[in-house]
Amino acid sequence: AFPLSLYRSIHPLSIHPLPSQMPEEDAFCVFTRLMKHHRLRDLFKPSMADLELCFFQLEKLVAESLPKLQLHFQAVGFMTSMYASPWFLTLFSSVLSLSVAFRVMDIFLQEGREIVFKVGLALLEHSQPVLLHSDMEDMLKHFQKEMKIIHDRDPENLFQMAFNNKCSHKKMKRLEKEHQQIREKKASESLELIRFQSENWDLVQRIKVLEKECESLANRLIEGQVSRAQEAEEMFIVKRELAKAKKRIVLLEEEKASGTSVSNGCTEPSPESRSSTSETPDNKKKKKMKKKNAERPSTA
């Protein structure tokens, strides 16, 4: 059995005319029939996938039957969900008078969901001259208040326009298949996007690691350059001190050489001294004799 708690929680939003027109038990049976057999339950699921399908189908039908109105909706940013949600969730019972809503529900029980699209297109077609010259605020006001008053006066014209609209079961199935393909494509693109985002996150993390390694290498390079500069400066200082030390050694060697020759009296003897020291006693006698012989003629 369909959960009674669910019926009590959502029937004020969806089919509130039923309890007012029949006993609650009968209303619950009709409610169960609507929810199970006519797939109204899918409209209230958390994913809202079936309701999104209804919006897609209605938007395509409006673009085909009323292209100017659809372009106007797109121009002002008036989404299908902004005006069509109560059509599908309440079967027009919240936007039209109860007498008109009962007739829609009767046809819905016989023909199914297509009547919602037919009546919706009839409402838009009838209101098109007003909607084309309205902004978003005026359109919301028209859908919420004025539309109910207008069609309560002449519901026959509304249903006549609705039955003239062509919303065959085959066309609705084709649009459903198209919507399914779009959803699958979006799901595939979403998975691809998630994969790209995951790969991008991995790459970002890898880039951060590489940036840290690059920063570390740069710091090491700078430290190496500074160290080599310091070593070069130290080497220059050492070479300079070494050059000074060599000059000092040369000077010291020169000073040492000159100081040793003076202190030891190592002056080289003259030739006369050599000759005087080399004379013997005989040589001295001979020199005296020669000197005497040389003086004799001068005395004579």
Side-chain angles (χ1 to χ4, degrees), residues 17 29 47 60 140 148 208:
C29 293
S47 63
K60 290 295 183 180
L140 287 172
K148 184 175 184 178
K208 289 181 179 180

Side-chain angles (χ1 to χ4, degrees), residues 7 15 18-20 22-32 34:
Y7 163 73
I15 51 174
L18 290 180
S20 64
M22 61 183 71
E24 187 172 353
E25 292 79 4
D26 296 339
F28 179 74
C29 293
V30 175
F31 177 79
T32 304
L34 290 172

Side-chain angles (χ1 to χ4, degrees), residues 17 90-94 96-106:
T90 70
L91 298 179
F92 298 100
S93 61
S94 64
L96 297 176
S97 62
L98 292 182
S99 58
V100 178
F102 283 141
R103 294 184 63 177
V104 173
M105 193 174 299
D106 290 339

Side-chain angles (χ1 to χ4, degrees), residues 187-198:
S188 177
E189 291 176 352
S190 178
L191 292 175
E192 193 73 10
L193 179 61
I194 292 173
R195 185 175 67 83
F196 285 144
Q197 289 176 343
S198 177

Side-chain angles (χ1 to χ4, degrees), residues 67-80 82-83 128 130-140 143:
K68 292 183 179 180
L69 183 60
Q70 180 63 24
L71 291 175
H72 179 64
F73 285 164
Q74 293 176 352
V76 298
F78 196 59
M79 308 299 294
T80 306
M82 299 174 69
Y83 64 88
Q128 181 174 215
V130 177
L131 295 174
L132 287 175
H133 297 87
S134 303
D135 56 13
M136 183 180 295
E137 184 177 354
D138 293 336
M139 286 190 290
L140 287 172
F143 279 103

Side-chain angles (χ1 to χ4, degrees), residues 209-227:
V209 173
L210 292 175
E211 286 178 349
K212 289 182 179 180
E213 293 180 356
C214 182
E215 183 179 358
S216 176
L217 290 174
N219 292 333
R220 290 171 58 186
L221 178 62
I222 293 172
E223 292 174 358
Q225 291 176 345
V226 172
S227 177

Side-chain angles (χ1 to χ4, degrees), residues 133-191:
H133 297 87
S134 303
D135 56 13
M136 183 180 295
E137 184 177 354
D138 293 336
M139 286 190 290
L140 287 172
K141 182 180 178 181
H142 180 80
F143 279 103
Q144 294 172 0
K145 297 180 179 180
E146 298 173 1
M147 186 176 287
K148 184 175 184 178
I149 299 173
I150 294 172
H151 295 289
D152 190 36
R153 297 171 185 170
D154 189 12
E156 296 298 332
N157 183 41
L158 174 64
F159 284 100
Q160 185 64 37
M161 295 174 64
F163 289 126
N164 290 333
N165 291 321
K166 296 180 179 180
C167 298
S168 64
H169 184 73
K170 184 178 180 180
K171 178 186 289 187
M172 304 307 291
K173 282 293 183 181
R174 177 177 60 80
L175 292 175
E176 182 177 355
K177 184 177 180 180
E178 181 180 348
H179 179 260
Q180 182 64 26
Q181 291 175 351
I182 293 174
R183 287 194 62 188
E184 290 176 355
K185 183 178 179 181
K186 286 183 178 180
S188 177
E189 291 176 352
S190 178
L191 292 175

Side-chain angles (χ1 to χ4, degrees), residues 280-293:
T280 59
D282 295 334
N283 291 333
K284 286 180 178 181
K285 288 180 180 182
K286 289 179 180 181
K287 283 184 176 181
K288 286 180 178 182
M289 291 296 295
K290 287 181 178 180
K291 188 175 179 180
K292 288 179 179 183
N293 293 329

